[in-house]
Amino acid sequence: MSNIVEMNHPIIDYYLSVIRNKDTNNRDFKKGAGEISKILFYEASKKISTYEKEIETPVSNCRVKTFNENDLLIVPILRAGLSMSEAIMEVVPNAANGMIGLYRDSETKLPVEYMCKMPSDISSKKIFLVDPMLATGGSLNYAIKMLKERGARDITVLGIIASPEGIKKIEEENPDVDLYIA
């Protein structure tokens, strides 16, 4: 069963009120979506594997916990996921990134791939798939399938708004994927 985490935080509530307001300008929308994305990423990244290493401080040597940013892969579903991935890349600027481009066929209502750019080997990466809106779950499930077909084994989805139907579909079709929703 997948891990569904619905974030409950006053800062998220504040930024949701900003981005959902019809009078919000583009700059404030992007800022709000970015701040929510960072909070989602902070919570979801609790599961990142860490290791200890010794560093030299101005006073003495000490052991610190850290992680390898190169083990992370940030993948937005275009174009809506770009503002989310840009904000996350501010936190982990050396993480790898990919992109998935999908559109919904107007007749069949099914997702259609128009682009998929990934590093050559994603099997060992901790992947954060970002998309701000989970409605029916069709496009997101398709994107997860695309990643798995390319070798992905560890996928976490970050989303801002989600419908109960979309969450249920992800849970049913991808029980091994964690889902963090604002």
Side-chain angles (χ1 to χ4, degrees):
M1 174 154 200
S2 59
N3 180 30
I4 309 297
V5 178
E6 182 180 343
M7 298 293 294
N8 185 2
H9 194 286
I11 301 296
I12 287 178
D13 292 342
Y14 168 75
Y15 281 116
L16 283 172
S17 75
V18 170
I19 68 172
R20 296 187 81 189
N21 185 328
K22 69 176 182 66
D23 295 326
T24 296
N25 63 43
N26 288 341
R27 181 183 56 94
D28 291 342
F29 182 91
K30 186 174 180 179
K31 165 80 172 156
E35 293 303 318
I36 291 170
S37 300
K38 288 178 186 176
I39 295 170
L40 290 169
F41 179 72
Y42 292 145
E43 185 64 24
S45 64
K46 285 182 179 179
K47 295 183 178 185
I48 292 174
S49 296
T50 61
Y51 64 93
E52 283 194 13
K53 75 175 188 178
E54 189 164 311
I55 63 166
E56 186 176 337
T57 73
V59 179
S60 68
N61 288 354
C62 73
R63 295 201 59 77
V64 296
K65 281 188 175 182
T66 190
F67 63 92
N68 186 348
E69 284 183 73
N70 295 316
D71 292 342
L72 308 180
L73 174 60
I74 314 302
V75 179
I77 297 177
L78 298 178
R79 289 181 337 199
L82 280 176
S83 64
M84 293 181 73
S85 68
E86 288 170 1
I88 293 167
M89 295 299 286
E90 290 176 12
V91 178
V92 286
N94 295 313
N97 57 55
M99 292 185 183
I100 292 177
L102 299 174
Y103 69 89
R104 186 177 312 276
D105 183 278
S106 59
E107 291 182 22
T108 67
K109 307 295 185 216
L110 296 174
V112 176
E113 174 186 345
Y114 67 87
M115 184 183 76
C116 185
K117 300 275 188 190
M118 295 294 145
S120 58
D121 180 17
I122 65 172
S123 63
S124 64
K125 303 277 188 197
K126 169 75 176 153
I127 299 171
F128 293 91
L129 179 60
V130 298
D131 191 20
M133 179 63 190
L134 171 57
T136 66
S139 294
L140 187 55
N141 268 327
Y142 192 85
I144 292 168
K145 177 183 169 202
M146 290 170 64
L147 289 170
K148 287 180 176 180
E149 286 174 350
R150 287 164 174 81
R153 297 189 308 234
D154 187 356
I155 302 170
T156 298
V157 173
L158 306 180
I160 296 177
I161 296 174
S163 73
E165 300 81 14
I167 291 171
K168 183 178 179 189
K169 186 170 181 110
I170 299 301
E171 248 183 331
E172 290 173 351
E173 295 185 25
N174 288 287
D176 57 331
V177 172
D178 292 337
L179 180 61
Y180 288 77
I181 298 295

